[in-house]
Each structure stands twice: as structure tokens, then as C-alpha cells.
Amino acid sequence: MAIYYNEENQTFHLQSVSMSYVIEITKYKHIAHVYWGRKIQAYHGANAILYRDRGFAANIDQEDRTYSLDTLPQEYPQYGIGDYRPCAYQIKTENQHTYSHLRYTGYEIIKGKPSLTGLPASFGDEEEVETLLLHTKDKVLGLCVDLQYSLYTRTNIMTRSVSFHSEKQTLHLQKMLSMSIDIRNDKFDLISMYGAHNNERNLDRRRLTSATTLIESTRGASSPQQNPFLILCNPLANEDYGDVYTFQFVYSGNFQASVHVDPYRNTRVQMGLQPFDCEWLLKKGESFQTPEVIMSYTPNGLTQMSHNLSQFYHIHLSRSKWTNKIRPILINNWEATYFAFDEDRLLTLAKEAQEVGVELFVLDDGWFKKRNTDCTSLGDWVVDKQKLPHGLSYISKNVHSLGMMFGIWFEPEMISVDSDVYRKHPEYVMQVEGREHIFCRNQLVLDLSNPEVCDYVIESIRKVLLSTEIEYVKWDMNRHLTNIGSLYLKEERQRECAHRYMLGLYHIMDTLTKEFKDVLFESCSSGGGRFDLGMLYYMPQIWTSDNTDAICRLKIQYASSYMFPNVALGAHVSTCPNHQVGRKTPLKTRADVAMCASLGYELSLQTLSKDEKKLIKEQIEFYKEIRETIQFGHLYRLHNPFEENITAFNMVSKDQKKCIVFYFKTLSEPAAPFVILKIKGLKEGILYQEQETKNIYDSSELMYAGISIENVKEDFISRVWHFKKVEGE
Ligand code: GLA
């Protein structure tokens, strides 16, 4: 059992292997938050909520001036009844009132985890997860709200979501967050990630201040601008030490996360659907389910946080067959050819890639009808006979005859005005009637709130995937939403459009990833523009960034590793000078950076010298030897590129028999410091042999004394060490 109800003191104790979460039902039937942190063996009320009469505090009961929602630590706070902090939900009645008052009515504890209809969400069987449903109701409105908590006992992770149901009348949901929590402490640092296209996921760490911090997207995608992932940690927390709480949204569209510190030094954290320009009509008898938030806690710092999250995603979130499978090394033709290719050019690239050991050939954008620039043809998923006169199956067959797998690019959510599908169905576009289209990358967005459009997308992608042997799909999405409206939806449901777009998209992804379950799907949104758990649920790999410059990638991959396992990050070696930033870096460094994740290549091999090709062959051989450790081992971040001139990681295989260490120096420095790298996560008391030098070291020596790094007077340097346990030890 993991969830305990104590009738006497009206508490629910959610207890996992080393975490506890305590909720209390107050005497006025509100749901209060009591505790979240290290495991408590048994809760007896030691940190009881204190009630005090405070100025300006509104009272539910005139006789009791100490009880006010403005100061009560709560689980799902409401608007209009005296809590002036940010609320978790808001409704409007047909006669324009926004007052509601939910009170607790009962609970259920169930084994396992109910799925959330139409939404990506974590899963687990009855031995691994238990769910608590707290029922609340506003009897006057006939509004029922259920708070759902699922506790994954082994992984110290819980999930939260909320469902709304209207029993009596039409209600307008104007805000419907998935979770809220009031922690009675404000001594935290907040870590979030911001960025842009080609510059995703910069780490931002700051002390909380007495104000509201909003992390959000209104772009119709989770976006590279802000990520739906928050860390709240002890200000002294580092990789190895300190309380770390995380909040991550299993959703790929508009979101809002906020952290609010109130005058009594409590911290309110909230996460859910973006309330701006979003409303949901709840007619009598209808329900609405919010997406889920994943919440984790560890007292042991950021490394443990990442290990817990990675483990959780592998077991309970990413549902693809490929989640726990070794990933093939790929070559992608995009940066090698862009739109300028023909059959010969593709097959020459494939052949050369095969010679150096690549296992998967990916045909990127430009393979379909007249797609010679980004101005045209999105939506017409039929092969371009000009470029590929013998069809896709000819390329696929030839690639397979080289002993490689074949993959292909789509951007299924988009449409070009210059396309047959637009000419036939201009109403398929997301739009506001009578208003001009707003373009981005010359393209428009399909109205996925319309089931007919979803069917068209499913059918056209299905047709291609059935037409020949395709083992990999890159699913792209290269613009954000504008003109948020639908010719399909009724007037009263127009403000549901952005969320219905996501529901339509999830339906499409659900259908296609189930039907083509052997296909490895990699999601992409101009690189890492939809780097979220909604995508990871369907697609176990994400193209981390369009920026393939090794030095920029150090930061992008470093920050990404906070929340995603290495194996999920696509990382390619590209040409030099780099196409995004013009930097010249050694081929070795480019490969070493890409080897820290799921390795691929994206450059023309024909233009390389013999020596370079030889080096690539060696890199691929080496990666094949170490990739299980990289992709499924434990990652340790040793040096942080956001703070230092050096970056270092090491990965240790699950059985602790293998360890790979990566070291990168960005710029050559005068008076260079002596650098000693201290490896982490090795097994105590055994010997490891470095595979190149054959030197043998004790694990404690490598971890505590460390290894000295010779200074090299060059920029953009990398080094790699491969240690293996000395057998027979
Ligand atoms: C996006 C992707 C790239 C490439 C292009 C093709 O930008 O992120 O990797 O596929 O589209 O148009």
C-alpha cells in the first residue's frame, strides 16, 4: 500500500520508497497541503497547519477569524472566496458570475493508474502505482471537481491532474490548471529553461522573490522560448546535494507554470493549460480532463533528480517499443543536400554512409511533389517524380540492399497554399473567417480541431508508410499558431481551438504510432521546439536542436540532460564551418559532443578527405562499443558549460562495469588552470582499466583523486576515456 487515509486526523499520506506527500481535509472541507519531502514513516501532525487572525483575511465562518483561505496552504485554490493568490481554476456561469466554492465530498483509493482519455499520460500496473481521487463539489453550481494523484511507489514520482464535471448547467471553464501546491517555505532557487530556435534550453537559476514568476507559452506549442519544466531546489543544492522538486507538464501546447511567494513566505507552484485565450464550454452532463503534471522529489541533488526522471520515463512514460532499445546511428541528408538532391545523390550518400558503418538513412524534407523550396507542397505527401522518378520504394530498396534501415521526414501538421490539398480544401487551415492568413516559413497550420482534417493527415501518412519499408519517421513542426480559429468549430467553442488542436494531434499520433509500432519516431519542431513529455510519450527520440555546432550543443545537451535521458536526444555531426554559427571545430570534438547522446551524421561525406572518412569510421566503431552505456547508463554532469570554460560528463553502465568520460574545453586560455576530473558513480573497491592506455586505476582513485588533464593550446578541444572493470577482480 502506498496511500493511507487517517480518518481521525483527516489526512492522506502518500508514501513511496523515500518520499512522502501529506494532504489534510480541513474542518471546513477544504483540501490543504501539509507536507512534501523525505519519507515520513508515520504522520501524526507534528507540522500541523497553524491558524491565526491576520489583517485583511476574509473568513468563511464569521465566528472563526483565524480560518482564511488567504493563508491556508492548499492543494487546488479557488477564486472569489478570500484567497488573493493565483487561483488554480476559474469558471464563469451563463449569467457571468465567477464565484465558485468547492468543498471536499469524499475520496477513492484505487490500484493502478487510470488513463487520461485522449491525452498522453504516465502508466503503470497495479503493483507499481496507486491513485487517490479527492472528490470536491460546489453544490449550488453543480460543479464536481476531482483531484487525481497517482503515486509511483518505486520511483518517488507522483502525477497530478484534475477533471471537471458539470451536473446542472452550462459553465465556462476559464482556467483549469492541472496542479497547485502551497509549500510552507520560500527558501528556494527556481531553475527554468528559456531559449529560441537554434538556442534552446538555456539554464536560468535564480532565488525566489516575493512576486509571481510566470513561465509560459502562448505559441500553440510548448516552444523553445520556455520549457514546461520547473525545478525548485534548496539554494545550496548542487549535483550531489540538496532538496530538489520538479514539475513537468505532459503536454505539447500552450502552458502556464507559475511560482508565487506570498507575504507569509509560502511558495505556491502551479502548472497547467495556459488560461490566456483559452476557454472550455462545459454543458450539463459534460466533463473536461486536464493534462497531467509529473512531480518528483529527491533530497540528493540534481544528478539524482535526472536519474529518477530518466528511469521514470523509461518505465512509465515513453510507450514506444524503441524506448528501451539501442538506437541506430543515422545519416540525415538535410544539411548535406537541403532541397537539392536526386536519386543518385541520395544513394551515393547512403553508400558512403554504409561504408563508414551508419545503420539508418534518413531522407529529410524535399522528397514530395515540387518541394524545391520551403514555399510549397506541404500537405501533398506524394513522391516528387521529378527528383525521384522511381519512387520512394526505389530509394528504400536500395538503402535496404546496403543493409541499412530507411527513414523519412514529414511535417504532417502543416499546409502550403501552393498545394493540391489547399486548392481542394482551403477550409482545412486554422483561420478566423474573413481575416488574412499570417504566414511563417511560408506555411499555414492545419485545423486539427476538425476530425476530417485529422483523418486526412492519418490517411496520407499511413499511405506513405505502407507504400514501402520505412523504419523511422522524423515528425517535424516548423511554425507556431496564429489566426486561432476554426471553420469547423461552432462559435461557442472557438476558444477551445488551441487545445483541440493538441487533442487532434495526439489522436493522430496515437493512431499512427500504434499502427506502425515498429517504426522509430523522432519528433522535431525546428529542432527542440517541442521538447516535452507529451511528445516523448509517443516518440522516444527528439531532434534536440537545429543548431549542430558542437560548442553550442554543449549547453543545449547539458541542460536537456536535466530532464530527458541521453537516449532521447538526437545529436548529429555536421560540416565545418558550421551552418548555423559559422564556427570551425575539429571533427573529433563534433563527434565527441554528438556521442554524448543518440549519434547521427548530417553532412556530405563525399566532400571529406580520406583521413576524415577514416576518422568517422573509427568514431562509429567506438560509438557502437559504448552506446549501450551512453544511451542507457547513468549520466553524471561533472562541469557546467553555463559556468565554466570546460564541460564534462561521465556515463556509467547500469552494472557499473563500464564508464565513459567526456571532457571539452571551449577556449584556450592563458595561465590555464590545472584541471583534475573527478569521475562519479563507479563501484567502490574495484579496478578499472582505461581502454586506450591500458592503465589500471582503483575506482576510489578515479572518483576522489581524479584524473589530470593535460592542457592543449587550442580552442574546442575534447577528450574521451573509456574505462572497463578489470575482470576477475
Ligand atoms: C526543420 C528541422 C530540420 C529539417 C528542416 C527541413 O527545420 O528541424 O532538421 O528537417 O526542418 O525543412
Side-chain angles (χ1 to χ4, degrees):
M1 233 189 26
I3 301 177
Y4 304 89
Y5 172 56
N6 181 327
E7 200 170 351
E8 199 183 320
N9 60 16
Q10 289 287 299
T11 53
F12 293 91
H13 184 173
L14 287 65
Q15 191 185 54
S16 70
V17 175
S18 42
M19 176 181 97
S20 280
Y21 191 98
V22 181
I23 297 165
E24 182 182 318
I25 308 302
T26 69
K27 61 178 170 178
Y28 295 99
K29 303 283 180 214
H30 296 118
I31 302 178
H33 177 74
V34 178
Y35 175 78
W36 184 24
R38 271 179 199 263
K39 180 173 175 173
I40 291 173
Q41 294 304 336
Y43 181 74
H44 296 106
N47 74 340
I49 296 166
L50 300 176
Y51 295 94
R52 223 176 276 170
D53 183 3
R54 309 254 193 191
F56 292 107
N59 310 122
I60 299 291
D61 176 355
Q62 203 184 346
E63 302 300 312
D64 184 356
R65 286 183 48 158
T66 66
Y67 189 90
S68 173
L69 291 171
D70 205 24
T71 52
L72 185 74
Q74 290 168 78
E75 286 285 312
Y76 205 64
Q78 6 199 355
Y79 168 73
I81 48 173
D83 185 349
Y84 299 97
R85 298 169 289 178
C87 59
Y89 79 97
Q90 194 181 359
I91 56 98
K92 193 176 76 182
T93 59
E94 289 280 78
N95 57 9
Q96 305 301 309
H97 290 301
T98 54
Y99 182 100
S100 69
H101 189 166
L102 296 172
R103 295 195 198 234
Y104 169 78
T105 55
Y107 76 95
E108 281 170 71
I109 295 175
I110 45 184
K111 291 256 169 246
K113 163 85 197 306
S115 58
L116 306 186
T117 316
L119 289 164
S122 61
F123 48 82
D125 58 34
E126 296 196 348
E127 286 75 59
E128 298 165 317
V129 50
E130 206 165 273
T131 297
L132 169 67
L133 288 174
L134 295 179
H135 304 302
T136 69
K137 188 167 182 173
D138 179 318
K139 289 194 178 134
V140 179
L141 292 174
L143 171 67
C144 302
V145 177
D146 281 356
L147 309 188
Q148 178 173 318
Y149 300 78
S150 294
L151 184 72
Y152 288 85
T153 43
R154 266 193 305 150
T155 49
N156 299 314
I157 284 186
M158 56 185 279
T159 64
R160 285 186 61 180
S161 70
V162 178
S163 68
F164 294 83
H165 179 75
S166 179
E167 278 181 343
K168 276 192 189 165
Q169 57 178 305
T170 296
L171 295 171
H172 301 261
L173 282 177
Q174 298 191 304
K175 185 175 185 182
M176 50 282 206
L177 299 182
S178 299
M179 59 78 50
S180 182
I181 186 172
D182 289 339
I183 304 175
R184 286 179 282 164
N185 179 11
D186 69 335
K187 303 287 176 292
F188 291 114
D189 275 5
L190 169 65
I191 304 177
S192 63
M193 296 180 193
Y194 70 93
H197 175 229
N198 277 334
N199 185 22
E200 295 91 341
R201 290 177 294 289
N202 291 279
L203 284 179
D204 194 353
R205 179 171 180 162
R206 65 259 196 207
R207 282 301 292 276
L208 288 188
T209 55
S210 51
T212 306
T213 308
L214 278 184
I215 313 283
E216 59 183 354
S217 167
T218 54
R219 296 172 163 266
S222 51
S223 91
Q225 277 72 17
Q226 298 282 352
N227 195 281
F229 176 64
L230 289 190
I231 300 172
L232 218 58
C233 61
N234 178 322
L236 298 176
N238 59 24
E239 288 292 338
D240 308 306
Y241 160 85
D243 283 328
V244 180
Y245 299 86
T246 68
F247 305 83
Q248 194 164 11
F249 202 24
V250 189
Y251 191 68
S252 318
N254 293 339
F255 72 92
Q256 187 179 83
S258 68
V259 183
H260 172 87
V261 177
D262 74 22
Y264 309 109
R265 319 311 305 171
N266 304 304
T267 303
R268 174 167 289 179
V269 186
Q270 302 186 316
M271 190 173 258
L273 292 174
Q274 168 65 259
F276 174 73
D277 199 28
C278 168
E279 203 172 291
W280 197 271
L281 187 65
L282 208 56
K283 291 195 172 161
K284 183 179 166 189
E286 287 181 349
S287 301
F288 179 84
Q289 171 65 53
T290 74
E292 172 172 278
V293 172
I294 309 271
M295 297 162 63
S296 80
Y297 164 77
T298 171
N300 298 323
L302 297 165
T303 300
Q304 190 60 50
M305 165 198 82
S306 301
H307 291 179
N308 290 353
L309 294 176
S310 286
Q311 187 197 12
F312 183 76
Y313 303 150
H314 281 299
I315 312 174
H316 297 300
L317 192 102
S318 179
R319 69 171 197 187
S320 162
K321 249 189 161 176
W322 278 92
T323 300
N324 294 298
K325 268 170 83 170
I326 290 286
R327 302 299 158 79
I329 299 167
L330 64 80
I331 179 110
N332 179 305
N333 75 307
W334 179 241
E335 285 200 24
T337 66
Y338 294 105
F339 293 108
F341 58 81
D342 55 21
E343 285 173 347
D344 278 355
R345 217 170 154 199
L346 293 182
L347 293 177
T348 307
L349 182 62
K351 174 94 186 42
E352 291 200 288
Q354 182 261 349
E355 280 166 8
V356 291
V358 168
E359 300 153 315
L360 161 67
F361 177 82
V362 179
L363 173 54
D364 209 281
D365 194 357
W367 59 267
F368 46 97
K369 236 177 165 174
K370 294 201 300 197
R371 176 80 169 170
N372 295 317
T373 68
D374 61 16
C375 296
T376 168
S377 306
L378 290 170
D380 292 347
W381 302 110
V382 201
V383 75
D384 182 358
K385 289 278 184 167
Q386 299 257 309
K387 270 189 212 161
L388 307 175
H390 300 92
L392 270 186
S393 54
Y394 173 77
I395 304 290
S396 162
K397 276 186 192 137
N398 275 285
V399 167
H400 284 108
S401 71
L402 292 168
M404 294 162 86
M405 296 190 280
F406 177 62
I408 196 166
W409 178 97
F410 291 101
E411 198 180 353
E413 300 156 62
M414 298 294 151
I415 183 167
S416 306
V417 165
D418 182 10
S419 67
D420 290 347
V421 61
Y422 182 85
R423 282 182 281 272
K424 204 164 159 204
H425 291 293
E427 77 282 8
Y428 278 10
V429 173
M430 181 177 280
Q431 60 193 287
V432 177
E433 200 163 12
R435 306 309 302 243
E436 70 282 10
H437 293 314
I438 307 284
F439 288 84
C440 176
R441 210 194 187 205
N442 304 303
Q443 63 199 47
L444 301 173
V445 183
L446 285 170
D447 174 12
L448 301 186
S449 70
N450 180 347
E452 186 185 319
V453 178
C454 295
D455 289 347
Y456 139 77
V457 173
I458 292 170
E459 277 318 309
S460 41
I461 306 300
R462 173 185 282 145
K463 220 170 169 182
V464 178
L465 294 185
L466 289 176
S467 71
T468 183
E469 205 181 338
I470 295 176
E471 288 106 338
Y472 164 103
V473 165
K474 178 172 169 189
W475 186 294
D476 212 340
M477 194 274 193
N478 287 321
R479 64 157 291 179
H480 291 153
L481 310 190
T482 54
N483 305 61
I484 308 196
S486 162
L487 297 186
Y488 164 79
L489 291 177
K490 289 190 181 143
E491 234 171 65
E492 59 185 17
R493 296 213 176 259
Q494 287 297 321
R495 300 279 42 81
E496 298 173 7
C497 190
H499 181 53
R500 284 189 183 271
Y501 175 89
M502 290 314 308
L503 296 177
L505 176 63
Y506 288 147
H507 165 66
I508 295 170
M509 288 186 165
D510 188 55
T511 310
L512 289 172
T513 56
K514 270 187 187 147
E515 181 170 345
F516 298 97
K517 54 183 180 307
D518 294 329
V519 171
L520 168 58
F521 283 86
E522 177 158 356
S523 87
C524 171
S525 177
S526 289
R530 260 192 330 204
F531 201 84
D532 59 66
L533 295 184
M535 286 296 129
L536 196 70
Y537 173 79
Y538 300 102
M539 307 193 174
Q541 203 161 304
I542 301 194
W543 177 225
T544 312
S545 174
D546 272 356
N547 189 342
T548 53
D549 171 63
I551 300 306
C552 297
R553 274 292 185 124
L554 285 175
K555 285 187 180 165
I556 297 171
Q557 291 177 198
Y558 185 94
S560 304
S561 78
Y562 271 37
M563 53 175 169
F564 269 41
N566 281 346
V567 66
L569 313 182
H572 300 174
V573 176
S574 62
T575 197
C576 182
N578 173 270
H579 287 186
Q580 290 76 39
V581 296
R583 197 182 340 260
K584 294 183 182 164
T585 50
L587 180 54
K588 171 170 165 46
T589 304
R590 279 177 271 152
D592 288 345
V593 172
M595 279 196 218
C596 292
S598 282
L599 175 70
Y601 287 78
E602 190 166 334
L603 75 175
S604 165
L605 296 168
Q606 253 180 319
T607 55
L608 299 181
S609 69
K610 251 190 173 170
D611 284 351
E612 285 172 316
K613 278 192 215 165
K614 186 167 162 273
L615 185 56
I616 291 185
K617 199 168 178 201
E618 287 164 8
Q619 289 166 353
I620 289 177
E621 269 164 27
F622 179 59
Y623 186 73
K624 285 179 181 166
E625 202 188 328
I626 61 170
R627 71 176 148 185
E628 189 169 355
T629 304
I630 303 282
Q631 297 181 359
F632 300 107
H634 290 304
L635 170 78
Y636 296 86
R637 290 174 291 263
L638 307 179
H639 288 271
N640 179 347
F642 291 92
E643 293 169 357
E644 299 176 68
N645 190 33
I646 60 174
T647 309
F649 305 97
N650 77 264
M651 290 86 168
V652 180
S653 61
K654 284 203 176 119
D655 60 8
Q656 291 177 301
K657 288 185 175 173
K658 292 181 190 156
C659 169
I660 327 291
V661 185
F662 289 95
Y663 161 85
F664 305 94
K665 185 184 71 176
T666 303
L667 292 179
S668 190
E669 306 175 275
F674 291 111
V675 177
I676 295 178
L677 268 192
K678 294 184 180 173
I679 300 170
K680 291 183 182 173
L682 300 178
K683 193 171 180 158
E684 290 277 0
I686 62 167
L687 297 176
Y688 287 88
Q689 182 172 48
E690 205 284 312
Q691 297 302 294
E692 201 182 323
T693 58
K694 303 291 175 210
N695 291 341
I696 292 182
Y697 304 95
D698 187 85
S699 55
S700 55
E701 182 185 359
L702 293 171
M703 290 194 289
Y704 310 134
I707 44 181
S708 293
I709 316 289
E710 284 295 350
N711 185 42
V712 180
K713 289 186 188 166
E714 276 173 54
D715 296 337
F716 318 133
I717 289 302
S718 68
R719 281 200 64 185
V720 181
W721 296 262
H722 183 196
F723 294 97
K724 280 189 187 165
K725 176 179 180 284
V726 176
E727 285 308 335
E729 267 299 303

